[in-house]
Amino acid sequence: MANQMTIGTPTRKKKGGDALSQKKWAMGFVIAAAIVYVLYGFVLSRLPFGLQDFFRTWLPATSLNEALVWVICALGLNIVVGYAGLLDLGYVAFWAIGGYSAGWFMSAFFQQVNIHLGGTTVVQSRGIHISFWGVLILAAIICAFFGIVIGAPTLRLKSDYLALVTLGFGEIIPQVFVNGENIGGFNLSNGTKGITPLDNINLLGKQLGPFDLSQKYIIFVFLTSIMVFISLRLRGGRLGRAWLAIREDELAASMMGVPLMRTKLSAYAVGAMAGGIGGVAFATHVNGVFADRFNFSISIILLAMVVLGGMGNVWGVMVGALVIAWVNSTGLPAGGNAFNNVFGTNINFPSYNFLIFGLVLVLMMLFKREGLLPESRLKMVLHEHDDDETMKAGA
Amino acid sequence: MSALLEVSNLKVAYGKILAVKGISLTVAKGEIVTLIGSNGAGKSTTLRTISGLLHPKAGEITFKGEKISGREGHEIVAKGICQSPEGRRIFPRMTVAENLDLGAFLRNDKAAIAEDQENVLVLFPRLRERLYQRAGTLSGGEQQMLAVGRAMMGRPELLLLDEPSMGLAPVLVELIFDTISKIREMGTTILLVEQNALAALDVADRAYVLESGLITMSGDAKELLRNDEVAKAYLGG
């Protein structure tokens, strides 16, 4: 049997290959982040005025910071949707809870009490003033708790039903904050007026206010890196394998001994933690929390970031989040202005953003369903729709 | 005879419809027991209830003297019962190696897992050739081998096989059933659900015939093979 010559363990398509490519991406991220920091912190002010103006129009520092907040949240949603395959349409709930954690614990909002814990304000000022870093941890814990509370009854549902119920929670929680001005005489959220201003961030003895953009940029990059690290570690570990198995075939996963509820809940909780951290970051970015900002479109935009980037691929999701956040905050207004100036038109481009997103998503579904950077390119398992049909049929 | 698995008066319902109407069966250590019957007789329902995917309406299942009915699927895997499900249900977008790895999800003994993977690959040389290929690209027969191999990776004391011959070419059916004998020789007890009664009775020690949710006949597999009623109903003669 000549055939026997070929039998033998094929050499493993090296795991080292994955690790190498992951390292390249990580290096790229760090280098890009550093270049941007140097550019905005030191170089930009010495450039000729025209060039400065170009950067201010097309890539302002504030939209960079905001984009990083989106990345943090999108990475969290990626764990729920991309890894575990649980379609969550209410992720904004965790962003909101994280935001309010910042509002509650690092401002003068709760005048009833006077609690200080590493905060940056003077001890005399009332309210709860916990250090930014403490609030990050606190918000992550609170969100994980709510993730489990919401997840425990809903995660028994499958696919579309789960999506609908999460959609409901994504509406309920922001509504609670909108109407939370007077809950039996207790002011939970200050209603639509929101909670503002927030305490400064303390970083190595320095105090960072709302306008210390380049220092906050460093903090946001740091938080993003932590999310990337957590995502990659979880993906490679036992829990990550369990998530992928559930995503592939829940029943079969259970037959392998994967505890379904616990595994799904942990995906939900980890995703919620990221939402909480993103919420705190966003609150410090805009120096307050405002109930009416937490609307359904945030959940949808985050989902679009995950899908556009490539579900399950951390770096793809990061690219997707950066692109969509930039288009939303800067690309459409600035590009629209430029278009109007050139052609003498008067089109309000930002108001068409959902039309454009919709179109982009439809085109993606038609031509590149696995996202800009599909996970399979990293020689990992997941998601390639093209050969899906033949696979299901199984020959 | 001390039974490894004992099912007594089991009733399972889908909503109001009773699919299994009170059956009792035993599997002793080291046996191959087969459950044969036509479509909708309740074979797969019985198997799924044993592995905790369905919960019984009445009756009891004990494994090694311990009541397991009503437990969740993953708890039952931990007790030592693994299933190769109907329709194979391999993870199509994972590689063969990753599928096998998931079969050992509850185990931590790395060296023994590697050893068991080697055993599976000796049992199914085709899987070795395909080890780093995505499972969805395998042929039907290879996928069935993978499903059985994956269940073996849990190092079960009792292996449940649900229709391993479904949709396979005759030559592959033979190979699968040969392997089932080999697996028993390696010390694993097997409960086999099959529509292919001839092949199943041939490989099994004992058999139960299931008809619309009730056991109508049981006994030595070779004797059932010679039984006229069985022959008429299931063996095409």
Side-chain angles (χ1 to χ4, degrees):
Chain A
M1 272 164 74
N3 212 5
Q4 224 150 25
M5 297 302 289
T6 60
I7 300 179
T9 311
T11 47
R12 176 145 208 165
K13 275 187 191 156
K14 282 183 216 107
K15 248 197 161 160
D18 300 349
L20 196 71
S21 144
Q22 296 289 7
K23 265 195 195 117
K24 271 187 197 159
W25 274 100
M27 288 292 287
F29 171 65
V30 170
I31 290 168
I35 289 174
V36 168
Y37 178 70
V38 171
L39 179 68
Y40 280 81
F42 306 103
V43 179
L44 196 58
S45 52
R46 299 197 184 110
L47 291 178
F49 183 75
L51 216 52
Q52 279 192 40
D53 203 42
F54 174 82
F55 276 105
R56 288 221 178 88
T57 312
W58 290 99
L59 200 61
T62 160
S63 79
L64 264 175
N65 285 8
E66 195 188 312
L68 286 170
V69 174
W70 284 101
V71 172
I72 294 167
C73 288
L75 287 174
L77 186 63
N78 179 49
I79 288 176
V80 182
V81 179
Y83 285 1
L86 307 164
L87 183 53
D88 183 349
L89 293 179
Y91 195 72
V92 67
F94 301 120
W95 185 324
I97 293 170
Y100 275 94
S101 303
W104 294 325
F105 303 132
M106 48 190 300
S107 80
F109 177 61
F110 284 122
Q111 286 288 314
Q112 306 91 315
V113 291
N114 187 3
I115 297 169
H116 288 262
L117 228 142
T120 50
T121 47
V122 284
V123 181
Q124 287 79 5
S125 68
R126 299 196 68 81
I128 303 174
H129 301 279
I130 298 174
S131 122
F132 170 74
W133 305 101
V135 171
L136 279 178
I137 295 168
L138 209 55
I141 293 170
I142 292 172
C143 281
F145 171 75
F146 274 97
I148 291 169
V149 167
I150 295 174
T154 55
L155 289 175
R156 294 180 192 283
L157 299 169
K158 292 203 174 108
S159 60
D160 305 357
Y161 303 101
L162 175 68
L164 281 177
V165 176
T166 55
L167 178 77
F169 275 107
E171 290 295 293
I172 290 167
I173 286 176
Q175 278 302 315
V176 169
F177 289 125
V178 169
N179 298 315
E181 205 165 356
N182 187 349
I183 301 175
F186 177 70
N187 184 353
L188 178 72
S189 67
N190 215 18
T192 45
K193 291 189 287 294
I195 300 170
T196 185
L198 299 187
D199 296 344
N200 292 338
I201 298 172
N202 49 350
L203 177 67
L204 308 172
K206 276 192 202 157
Q207 294 207 8
L208 311 179
F211 301 108
D212 292 316
L213 288 176
S214 56
Q215 283 91 333
K216 275 210 266 185
Y217 168 80
I218 293 291
I219 292 177
F220 289 177
V221 166
F222 173 67
L223 294 178
T224 309
S225 316
I226 288 179
M227 265 319 292
V228 169
F229 179 74
I230 290 175
S231 297
L232 292 178
R233 284 311 295 260
L234 286 177
R235 168 64 187 83
R238 189 181 158 80
L239 191 56
R241 279 192 299 154
W243 284 337
L244 284 200
I246 285 182
R247 193 200 137 98
E248 290 269 294
D249 188 331
E250 205 174 305
L251 197 73
S254 154
M255 288 178 186
M256 301 301 108
V258 174
L260 294 182
M261 266 317 277
R262 211 188 313 155
T263 310
K264 288 202 240 175
L265 267 182
S266 59
Y268 219 60
V270 173
M273 285 170 83
I277 289 169
V280 172
F282 188 71
T284 58
H285 175 67
V286 297
N287 197 27
V289 266
F290 307 98
D292 46 8
R293 292 193 72 147
F294 302 114
N295 51 33
F296 176 55
S297 64
I298 288 185
S299 302
I300 294 303
I301 291 172
L302 281 169
L303 196 62
M305 289 168 171
V306 174
V307 173
L308 179 81
M311 274 199 262
N313 178 6
V314 167
W315 305 108
V317 169
M318 182 186 279
V319 170
L322 289 173
V323 167
I324 292 185
W326 176 81
V327 169
N328 247 344
S329 68
T330 315
L332 271 179
N337 277 342
F339 185 91
N340 284 339
N341 286 341
V342 171
F343 296 100
T345 49
N346 191 16
I347 304 169
N348 182 5
F349 278 91
S351 69
Y352 290 103
N353 64 343
F354 281 104
L355 181 74
I356 294 167
F357 280 161
L359 199 67
V360 169
L361 280 184
V362 168
L363 289 175
M364 290 290 295
M365 287 303 120
L366 280 176
F367 298 112
K368 199 144 174 46
R369 268 190 270 181
E370 65 275 25
L372 291 174
L373 292 168
E375 167 137 50
S376 60
R377 188 168 299 175
L378 298 177
K379 288 281 181 288
M380 288 187 167
V381 253
L382 245 192
H383 214 74
E384 216 164 68
H385 284 287
D386 298 339
D387 42 13
D388 227 24
E389 298 311 313
T390 47
M391 284 187 173
K392 286 246 168 69
Chain B
M1 178 178 74
S2 73
L4 185 66
L5 179 84
E6 195 160 358
V7 175
S8 52
N9 200 25
L10 184 76
K11 290 182 183 166
V12 192
Y14 294 103
K16 282 185 178 165
I17 300 159
L18 215 51
V20 173
K21 301 169 183 167
I23 65 168
S24 300
L25 58 89
T26 57
V27 181
K29 197 163 176 49
E31 270 190 312
I32 299 182
V33 174
T34 181
L35 205 53
I36 56 176
S38 57
N39 274 333
K43 306 183 302 287
S44 292
T45 306
T46 307
L47 222 52
R48 286 174 165 219
T49 312
I50 295 170
S51 58
L53 302 173
L54 296 170
H55 295 307
K57 195 178 153 84
E60 204 177 67
I61 303 169
T62 56
F63 181 64
K64 292 194 283 183
E66 190 185 348
K67 181 173 179 251
I68 57 164
S69 42
R71 296 290 192 89
E72 294 298 322
H74 64 269
E75 295 174 299
I76 288 174
V77 177
K79 298 254 178 257
I81 302 181
C82 293
Q83 182 175 359
S84 156
E86 184 181 10
R88 313 188 261 267
R89 301 196 89 122
I90 44 127
F91 301 107
R93 287 180 292 224
M94 298 188 186
T95 63
V96 170
E98 282 167 316
N99 268 274
L100 292 176
D101 220 26
L102 267 164
F105 183 76
L106 289 177
R107 299 170 54 190
N108 288 317
D109 42 345
K110 271 198 178 155
I113 291 173
E115 199 180 293
D116 282 355
Q117 174 169 330
E118 188 52 36
N119 287 340
V120 168
L121 297 181
V122 168
L123 218 46
F124 298 115
R126 288 296 283 278
L127 294 182
R128 194 192 295 277
E129 294 170 53
R130 307 263 185 264
L131 203 51
Y132 301 107
Q133 197 168 318
R134 286 202 216 177
T137 62
L138 302 184
S139 75
E142 290 164 344
Q143 290 192 9
Q144 186 60 59
M145 295 173 197
L146 179 56
V148 174
R150 189 179 61 174
M152 292 288 294
M153 290 299 290
R155 233 182 219 196
E157 279 182 67
L158 175 64
L159 179 65
L160 309 179
L161 299 174
D162 198 346
E163 303 262 4
S165 76
M166 191 168 71
L168 298 186
V171 56
L172 283 172
V173 173
E174 203 172 308
L175 185 133
I176 292 280
F177 279 97
D178 278 353
T179 314
I180 291 173
S181 304
K182 276 189 206 156
I183 292 172
R184 186 256 294 273
E185 278 159 29
M186 289 159 70
T188 308
T189 310
I190 294 170
L191 177 57
L192 168 70
V193 157
E194 256 303 335
Q195 278 200 56
N196 186 341
L198 185 60
L201 290 173
D202 201 40
V203 76
D205 303 312
R206 289 191 304 118
Y208 293 88
V209 180
L210 204 57
E211 247 172 76
S212 9
L214 287 169
I215 289 176
T216 53
M217 261 183 284
S218 63
D220 184 85
K222 305 298 170 288
E223 272 169 33
L224 281 175
L225 207 48
R226 287 188 295 269
N227 183 300
D228 283 346
E229 272 179 73
V230 173
K232 215 176 269 172
Y234 304 106
L235 303 177

